[in-house]
Amino acid sequence: MVELFGFGPHLMVDGYDANPERLRDAELVRRVLDELPEEMEMTKVLPPFVYSYGSGGEDGVTGVVIIAESHIAIHTFPKKRFLSIDIFSCKAFDMAKALKKLAEVFEIGRYETYMIQRGKEFPKDPELARAIVLGEREYLEARAG
């Protein structure tokens, strides 16, 4: 599906009841960030950057990979069995496939997802984007008025 307007989708995942050992595993997070772009037909620009933090307090892992389309980030909180994931891309991608992989790898018990279309007025076809945005504004003004 080709998007005619907007910059692209931003999928946010909050994962609960995940496997704490997997959430502590910096190498696993690195591997996911290294493999996921290709699996999602995205272009990795740099190797993933992964950082393990905390030895006395909340321990966990934060990692990000820069892709030509934008970025993928993972933040884990093993003591709370929680992780947050962002996949932001300038092109459409298979969100169900990404969710399935992440849920399996981190053994996520349940998750909430949020998806927004970023850059609504970022035109890929300027005239069509303008017409759509003007139509939305007219609709909102009519409802508010």
Side-chain angles (χ1 to χ4, degrees), residues 19-138:
N19 181 326
E21 292 310 309
R22 291 187 171 232
L23 298 180
R24 278 188 192 90
D25 189 340
E27 176 54 27
L28 177 63
V29 171
R30 188 207 61 76
R31 194 166 59 246
V32 168
L33 290 170
D34 192 50
E35 295 170 358
L36 192 58
E38 186 177 329
E39 292 174 17
M40 302 310 301
E41 299 178 13
M42 298 174 182
T43 309
K44 191 171 35 177
V45 173
L46 295 168
F49 176 80
V50 177
Y51 175 74
S52 294
Y53 60 89
S55 57
E58 177 66 67
D59 59 336
V61 178
T62 286
V64 65
V65 65
I66 305 301
I67 54 177
E69 297 79 8
S70 194
H71 73 273
I72 302 171
I74 299 174
H75 309 280
T76 73
F77 303 87
K79 289 182 181 175
K80 295 179 175 67
R81 301 184 66 188
F82 175 80
L83 75 159
S84 63
I85 302 161
D86 291 300
I87 303 175
F88 180 27
S89 174
C90 65
K91 69 175 194 175
F93 60 93
D94 188 338
M95 292 182 207
K97 181 178 178 181
L99 281 168
K100 183 175 190 275
K101 177 181 177 93
L102 294 164
E104 287 174 1
V105 168
F106 295 106
E107 298 177 6
I108 299 171
R110 64 185 177 86
Y111 55 80
E112 296 174 339
T113 60
Y114 311 90
M115 203 293 287
I116 58 173
Q117 185 68 27
R118 302 286 303 267
K120 227 172 158 182
E121 293 186 39
F122 183 89
K124 292 184 180 173
D125 177 332
E127 284 308 307
L128 179 58
R130 182 177 176 281
I132 291 170
V133 170
L134 287 175
E136 287 180 351
R137 288 184 181 156
E138 286 176 16

